[in-house]
Amino acid sequence: YLPLSPLATQIGIACLVAQAAFTLIFRKIAPNGPWTQLSAFTAHQVVALPLMFILTYIGWRDWFFDPNKYDEGLTATDRIFGYSNPNDIPLAVGSGAILLWDIPMGFISPPLRDPIMWAHHFGMFIVSSTMCGLFCKWGNMLGYYYGALYFGVIELSSILLTFIDIWHPKYVHYYKWLNAKHSDDKSIALAKLLKSVNEVARILFALSFLALRGMYFPYVSFRHAVPDLLVAYENPPDGVPKWTGYFLAGMISLFALLQAYWGLLIAKQVKKALLGGDGKDEKSRSRKKRDIYGKRD
């Protein structure tokens, strides 16, 4: 199964099978609509949404409500090397689903082709695989204590992004359908409802992203995770390559800075919305929205 665990492999294959099934349904069976022209992209969103719910639930449960997280006697070595769960679902999704489903879909589906996100997801895969013990002689899990945060808690914003991303102007068929002048009452009512839901979801997305990814992610990373890695790797267990600690510290720092940068972009958009805009032309505004709402994790 290397470089994947059995569970990660099964999850990745399950996502591929679901992707193929939903793509066929939207392209051949469902009534004609924007999902017909963007069948693979729509299927990707349908598969991603329940994954985000699962990751968020497990992450919040294990990070905020696990009493073992708040043991004051824990040391940095305990947090980095003392926790282990080979069947952890978030890490399995972060490795198996990313490698076998999400990255390949970026090649197969044109709307999902984004070099920045390919790099981001490849980085997620390498980090999750390293945490699962891929490079350790005895399969030691590394930093599993923090896995619930990085592969679970922050995905709350991704639930909302999975929905609002569909209506982004770059997905022309969906955008045109949402803003078209429909002739039948059902389509008019549905479009009106989806517009309202989308506006609320955008606000909630901005707030959750700013709180969890823009601020909390960097805070935990630089205040706890990275210092723990540096201290714990002063004397790593037998069979644990020392470079893995510096690699994880570097990647976590890079991701934290990236999340903070994206959070800053969203904060600027929120500020502009509250102040009523800054007079820039529509093309510039559309480009900034694409930069913000086109990101996904």
Side-chain angles (χ1 to χ4, degrees), residues 19-289:
Q19 173 74 39
F22 281 117
T23 299
L24 180 63
I25 290 172
F26 290 125
R27 183 174 298 174
K28 300 294 185 181
I29 300 176
N32 189 49
W35 46 85
T36 307
Q37 289 79 18
L38 295 171
S39 55
F41 167 72
T42 306
H44 179 275
Q45 302 304 91
V46 170
V47 175
L49 187 60
L51 282 180
M52 296 304 103
F53 273 106
I54 292 170
L55 293 178
T56 300
Y57 168 73
I58 295 176
W60 281 70
R61 180 197 68 189
D62 293 349
W63 182 254
F64 291 113
F65 300 103
D66 182 354
N68 293 326
K69 289 284 184 183
Y70 306 99
D71 184 350
E72 295 181 357
L74 290 178
T75 65
T77 298
D78 294 329
R79 287 187 288 269
I80 299 304
F81 302 120
Y83 283 75
S84 179
N85 180 8
N87 293 316
D88 182 70
I89 292 176
L91 282 176
V93 171
S95 53
I98 289 291
L99 182 65
L100 299 181
W101 165 65
D102 208 27
I103 292 177
M105 285 308 303
F107 291 93
I108 296 173
S109 176
L112 295 172
R113 290 175 187 167
D114 186 341
I116 294 178
M117 296 316 298
W118 277 335
H120 180 251
H121 289 164
F122 183 74
M124 286 178 60
F125 161 71
I126 293 296
V127 168
S128 62
S129 297
T130 302
M131 292 175 67
C132 287
L134 174 62
F135 302 104
C136 298
K137 186 175 181 180
W138 313 115
N140 305 64
M141 295 191 73
L142 310 174
Y144 172 71
Y145 177 93
Y146 291 102
L149 169 67
Y150 294 130
F151 293 91
V153 171
I154 64 171
E155 297 300 344
L156 176 63
S157 62
S158 296
I159 294 175
L160 299 161
L161 182 59
T162 302
F163 173 76
I164 65 176
D165 197 33
I166 293 175
W167 313 109
H168 191 281
K170 67 181 178 181
Y171 305 118
V172 178
H173 298 289
Y174 273 107
Y175 184 76
K176 285 184 176 180
W177 183 91
L178 187 66
N179 295 282
K181 293 182 179 180
H182 299 283
S183 56
D184 59 291
D185 293 339
K186 288 185 178 180
S187 296
I188 293 173
L190 180 59
K192 184 177 180 180
L193 174 63
L194 290 174
K195 281 184 179 180
S196 299
V197 173
N198 187 43
E199 287 305 312
V200 173
R202 285 165 65 93
I203 295 172
L204 294 177
F205 165 75
L207 294 176
S208 62
F209 194 103
L210 282 172
L212 296 174
R213 293 177 180 266
M215 293 185 286
Y216 191 57
F217 187 115
Y219 169 76
V220 175
S221 297
F222 294 121
R223 179 67 177 81
H224 298 285
V226 172
D228 276 355
L229 282 165
L230 297 179
V231 171
Y233 268 84
E234 290 177 357
N235 185 27
D238 181 43
V240 177
K242 203 161 187 176
W243 67 265
T244 57
Y246 299 114
F247 170 76
L248 288 175
M251 290 299 292
I252 289 173
S253 299
L254 180 62
F255 280 128
L257 293 174
L258 184 61
Q259 300 293 347
Y261 170 71
W262 285 343
L264 181 61
L265 292 181
I266 290 180
K268 288 181 178 179
Q269 287 293 319
V270 172
K271 179 181 177 181
K272 187 170 66 174
L274 292 175
L275 296 178
D278 58 3
K280 291 186 178 181
D281 58 77
E282 186 63 27
K283 183 177 180 181
S284 176
R285 288 196 293 270
S286 177
R287 183 169 59 252
K288 284 192 174 181
K289 288 181 180 179

